[in-house]
Amino acid sequence: MHETSDIDGPGPDFAARHARYPEAQIRKILNDTRTIALVGASANPARPSWIVLKYLIDRGYAVTPVNPGLAGQDLLGRRVVAALADIPESIDMVEIFRNSAAAGPLVDEALALDPLPKVIWMQLGVRDDAAAARAEARGVTVIMNRCPKIEYGRLSGEIGWTGVNSRILSAKKPVLAGRGVQRLTIAERGKRPD
């Protein structure tokens, strides 16, 4: 368990632990996650939240868009809900696609769920150390200032096709996720997923 204090806030190693995440941790989260609540989903295809929603759905995740302004509508074939509590099934990961000021109340909303999500993931530019400490104190893994689409693309090798350095070197053939050239999985290279 990570050391936190209600009086002092996150412990001294907190910032260092959340500055960079081990590749194995990110890969495990993305492999183990099946259901995702994407808070801040947009109906505008030009918005990053719509692009991430589509990408995660295309990679086989069961994603529920959360946006009170769009509640009841369908987004990419998924019914939009107003709040996390409106999702009838358990959620493995809550993806926060809102600003840092909104992250704290959204983390508290996630912590009110039963069962708790396994992961709270805050999008690029979103960080709330106090909220993350509250979640970690309840046993929830927290990732901040990262994008699951970028991490999936980096770990699968897809992102390298656009000229981005994925920081992964391997002579092993990547595992295809299905039909199409750029549909790779994050399975360990050279091994077929079960």
Side-chain angles (χ1 to χ4, degrees), residues 175-189:
V175 180
L176 291 175
R179 300 175 67 98
V181 176
Q182 295 185 1
R183 300 262 332 263
L184 302 178
T185 71
I186 54 174
E188 201 171 317
R189 287 175 178 259

Side-chain angles (χ1 to χ4, degrees), residues 20-179:
R20 186 173 179 139
Y21 300 97
E23 190 173 288
Q25 179 187 23
I26 299 293
R27 185 182 301 275
K28 180 168 177 27
I29 289 169
L30 294 173
N31 271 328
D32 294 349
T33 296
R34 296 288 170 257
T35 57
I36 300 172
L38 195 146
V39 182
S42 174
N44 181 347
R47 301 285 303 166
S49 63
W50 188 92
I51 295 166
V52 170
L53 175 67
K54 181 174 182 345
Y55 184 89
L56 293 174
I57 290 169
D58 287 348
R59 295 309 175 275
Y61 294 101
V63 187
T64 301
V66 181
N67 183 326
L70 301 174
Q73 298 178 34
D74 284 340
L75 246 164
L76 296 168
R78 304 298 201 274
R79 182 64 49 152
V80 182
V81 298
L84 291 172
D86 297 336
I87 301 173
E89 63 270 355
S90 63
I91 303 164
D92 294 329
M93 181 169 87
V94 174
E95 157 81 57
I96 298 176
F97 229 115
R98 299 280 314 278
N99 61 32
S100 295
L106 290 169
V107 167
D108 293 336
E109 186 179 336
L111 294 176
L113 297 173
D114 184 24
L116 288 173
K118 296 174 188 139
V119 178
I120 294 175
W121 190 305
M122 298 181 205
Q123 195 48 246
L124 287 172
V126 182
R127 186 175 177 115
D128 185 326
D129 289 359
R134 290 193 303 275
E136 287 182 345
R138 299 274 309 273
V140 177
T141 300
V142 177
I143 303 294
M144 294 188 286
N145 193 28
R146 294 288 185 278
C147 175
K149 175 188 180 295
I150 291 172
E151 293 301 322
Y152 192 104
R154 185 179 68 79
L155 293 171
S156 71
E158 290 175 349
I159 202 167
W161 291 349
T162 62
V164 175
N165 181 0
S166 67
R167 298 190 316 263
I168 296 176
L169 295 175
S170 177
K172 295 179 181 176
K173 184 178 178 180
V175 180
L176 291 175
R179 300 175 67 98

